[in-house]
Amino acid sequence: MTELAPEQSRRSGRGAPVAVVGMAGRFPGADDVGRFWQNLLNGHESVREFTADEMRAAGVPEAGISDPNRVPAGADMAGADLFDEQFFGITGRDAALMDPQHRILLTCAWEALEDAGTRPDWSDGRIGVFAATSLSTYLLSQVLRSADHADEAMNYPVLIGNDKDFLATRVAYKLGLTGPGVSVATACSSSLTAVHLACTALERGDCDAALVGGVSITVPQTSGYLYQEGGILSQDGHCRVFDAASGGTVKGNGCGVVVLKPLDRALAEGDRVYAVIRGSAVNNDGSDKIGFTAPGPAGQQAVIEAALRDSGVPAASIGYVEAHGTGTALGDPLELRALAAAHRAAGGPAPDCAVGSLKANIGHLDAAAGVAGLIKTALVLHHQTVPPQINFTAPNPHIGLEALPYQVRTTAEGPHQLTLRAAAVSSFGLGGTNAHCVLEAAPRPQDAESGPTGVRYPVVLSGKDDRGLRAVARRLRDHLAAERPRPSVRDLAYTLLAGRQPMPVRHAFTAADIDEVLAELDALLDERADARAAADSGATGHAVRSWLAGRDLPAGEWAEAWDFRSARKVALPAYPFRRNRHWIEAAPPTGGAVTAGESVSAGAGTGTGTGVTREQFTALLGKHLGVTGIAEDDDYYDLGGDSMLAVEIATSLRDAFGVPIDLDVFAQLSTVGELADYVVSVGAAPGGARDRIGRVVPIRQGEGRTLFLVHPAGGTNFVYFRMAVHSRSAEPLAAVSYPGEEDGRPGTLRELAALYVEQIRREQPHGPYRLGGYSFGGNVLFEMALQLRAAGEEVDTLLMLDSHPPEAYVGGHIGDDEFERAVPLLLTSAAADEEQMELLRREGFVAAWRHNHDLLKGHYPDRRFDGDLVLVVAEEDEDGTLLDTMRIRRLDKASLWGAHVEGRVDVLKTPGDHFSMFEDGGRLEALAATFDRALARIAGQAGGDGDLG
């Protein structure tokens, strides 16, 4: 058996370490875990390019195949349509109705138990099931589109065959497992979250072993996908994790299952231990991020720190980390920085710690991604080898890899180069549920014992039928003939008795060594087997006769008669399932086919600029809002619209119909009817319709003079519309629109201010003028005020929202490298999630920001303003890294702005930092209240309770 080294015998934070004793899987390019590992070692990329015929067979129309935006790539998994329904006692009809994800997971669950040498009817404890799956695209694209089942959405066999709720419980039912049966759903982190829950259940005694798995198969697998600029899928069909050319991920398909046991029990029962889970943790980002789908670096760091504490493993011993690593330009840097912060806080990681992600090899497995990463990490420790990271040439410059304690290795490093004591795996789910596991290498086994000499052992085989029995014998014979070193006959006999479920058709014989086993297997396969073994006397002969008679062998007799107490379980081939096809074909489409997972707007065109009808626009709007029955007078914001959704709608309008629109139109023309009129007119005559909107956008009607607000550096005014929702003041508000590139953008801040002065004077020919602005907008409005005063116009007290003074920008312009380093920092602070960050890039946010920042770096006011200023200041410091990268000095805003005005500077503080003060919830409401106080002071309606600067 085995013994624990002193450093491995300590208890983990959860109370006891958990052993990974079995695994099975189906992956792109690999029908089992052995092939999966070899592919990783060989640096094999299982993502491939699909042919036109494959896409055509998948239901992609000819126009879709030739679409220049279609990426004909993916990581498909062979055999998704194949299943041994008779083995599991399922009718052919129910097998065809069942989601292939459920079928594959059930099959892999059986194989994982066999790999673990643990029978489903294990008499010494209860086995739990914790499993995860993706949405049933088979239901959507095949079953509900078929001629026979299109109306069976609520049919009971359809429901239980495809709903996530029945994934784990079906496995428990079919295998007779009596521990908890729990289906887990936390998006991409589901299966690693399931590992954590299983470890907790083992600790609590809810079960004595656990099957944990995840599966994700998107039907059809070979349709490719339409690239969407700003989406998370790669434009070139490759996932380039950590690489400078990283541009997104690729969809993968696959399944992974592991078997877990408490380590002490696994060692006592002679289990093979791949690795030991010493600690795990799960958390959620909560609301401490900008949007629901946004990554949460703080949450990622916290879950890693929690798992380290739970494990008791020194961070300095962690030599490999399997990252979530999706290959997105912004997600990878955030993840590695959070990882480094957690490791450094705990004194680690190990020198030359490697990081990797198998998504580059097999794509993103969604609900199965976490367990796939765990299997890879356990094999890294088991084989003491780190596979090469493929598709990596030069590091993503946004990561700053040279300053982090990690290496990305592009060649395999094995036992001669490595001594890996510990490793870890991360999985982060969309929506904020983060999971992290810390693993250690398995305890070093004692020298193998061959057992007493001259002892004959019972070798038992069984199958569902004669064919199955012969296939079992053939697989075992081939395996033993090729295996080096060969297992002892005692370990083989123990594994077959303890780890293989008895089936109706049986064969058994006695053997004293492996050569005898091979001879007996040859005799069975050649139909020369005789009853010689049944005539043996003693315990072995009695055991064989009992087995052949259909009786099981009591576990107690194993240990006494054949000294199995020091035996070990050995790796043996899995049961040879029949590969029967079960598939429901969708009815031929009456029009252009739409493949599952492909978003097509109602009435969508091809982006050729041919225009859009009111009905098409309303359908598209309803699709994005998730609302039906939209009326002409419904308000976009009342229907649930917001600024980020407006970006997505504008992108869809351009992609589907070739219709470009200004984002501020969603604020000015808020009703569905007004929006539809505008969009239709843009489609018919883009230039004329654009002019009709004008350059000053009303935000709110009210009484008195209008406060004209100048946009921040990104050129959008959404922050003002969001703030106005919570404002209780009565003053009218309007925003100045940033000029489009086609209009030509001023080359200096003074020229931009002059343009905006001209625009507001069209709305209000004479003063007094009221001006306000956030960040960059404050600097522009200050120059506008100077120009208006020079023209003899009166200007009221100025209102600035956290604007840096001109002195903060003094210095040279930033270079391209500095700007590229700053982009992810800014977008992380200003946008909601990675997809929306990329949408903002596409909509010109980044280009506008760069242009306007350059204007600030080249501007300094030429005189003071002869009036007062109300300055709203964020209470929290802005991100210092962003400021340093952009060469913005950290200076006191109040005192320096005070040097630029001849009157008084009234300072009001608001919660949050430069960006987070606009976050939904308490901070935005507090900002709106502060804004109202500022308006009251400008109007002379309230006294000052702020600080004088």
Side-chain angles (χ1 to χ4, degrees), residues 327-416:
T328 54
L330 299 173
D332 289 354
L334 292 176
E335 178 180 0
L336 288 192
R337 289 173 193 152
L339 178 69
H343 279 172
R344 284 167 168 162
D352 302 326
C353 179
V355 290
S357 171
L358 58 79
K359 291 180 180 65
N361 301 88
I362 63 172
H364 192 343
L365 264 55
D366 192 53
V371 73
L374 180 77
I375 288 173
K376 175 187 173 183
T377 306
L379 291 173
V380 165
L381 290 170
H382 181 65
H383 295 289
Q384 288 289 291
T385 302
V386 176
Q389 183 63 41
I390 66 170
N391 295 340
F392 180 85
T393 304
N396 179 344
H398 301 320
I399 294 177
L401 195 61
E402 70 282 353
L404 298 179
Y406 305 111
Q407 293 184 353
V408 180
R409 295 175 179 163
T410 55
T411 58
E413 296 196 18
H416 298 297

Side-chain angles (χ1 to χ4, degrees), residues 264-340:
D264 55 358
R265 184 159 196 162
L267 296 176
E269 294 176 355
D271 292 332
R272 288 180 303 123
V273 179
Y274 289 98
V276 179
I277 300 174
R278 287 284 173 173
S280 64
V282 169
N283 72 357
N284 192 279
D285 298 326
S287 59
D288 187 19
K289 55 182 180 178
I290 297 173
F292 173 68
T293 59
Q300 293 177 12
Q301 179 179 342
V303 79
I304 295 167
E305 292 174 343
L308 281 168
R309 289 193 300 270
D310 184 53
S311 71
V313 172
S317 67
I318 294 177
Y320 176 74
V321 178
E322 175 68 13
H324 184 63
T326 56
T328 54
L330 299 173
D332 289 354
L334 292 176
E335 178 180 0
L336 288 192
R337 289 173 193 152
L339 178 69

Side-chain angles (χ1 to χ4, degrees), residues 413-429:
E413 296 196 18
H416 298 297
Q417 295 88 21
L418 298 173
T419 301
L420 281 171
R421 294 181 54 201
V425 55
S426 291
S427 191
F428 306 132

